[in-house]
Amino acid sequence: MSTYSGPARLILADGTRVPGTASLKMSQNGGRPGWGGTFRPDETTAGARAAADDVQIELPYDQLGHVAVTGTRRLLATQILMSLAGRGPAPF
């Protein structure tokens, strides 16, 4: 599968699980294949806002992938959208 869109959980460095929705895809821009996408937490927390490097994304059926948060932007007054860059094999 080259894309995934649906429920996911971000696992922060301290072990906190943040539920939300992920939109992930494989990218092959002529160079090394990789993957990344976005994550929208169901609830914006200080931990989610501060997430950076030592983060994992968990998809249904315990599929895990390592990601780095490369950016965060505000969608609405209470929602954020996080940009993710995958590390290692894609979990989808």
Side-chain angles (χ1 to χ4, degrees), residues 4-28:
Y4 173 80
S5 184
R9 288 189 287 191
L10 212 58
I11 304 172
L12 306 180
D14 66 0
T16 302
R17 284 175 157 69
V18 180
T21 303
S23 180
L24 306 171
K25 67 178 180 174
M26 298 296 294
S27 61
Q28 297 179 8

Side-chain angles (χ1 to χ4, degrees), residues 38-83:
T38 59
F39 179 78
R40 185 177 47 83
D42 290 344
E43 184 178 322
T44 301
T45 64
R49 284 185 206 266
D53 215 19
D54 188 18
V55 181
Q56 294 182 41
I57 191 156
E58 181 181 28
L59 305 182
Y61 308 108
D62 299 322
Q63 300 169 344
L64 292 174
H66 292 275
V67 294
V69 178
T70 59
T72 302
R73 67 181 172 112
R74 185 183 298 235
L75 290 179
L76 299 170
T78 60
Q79 291 184 338
I80 60 172
L81 184 68
M82 305 166 82
S83 297

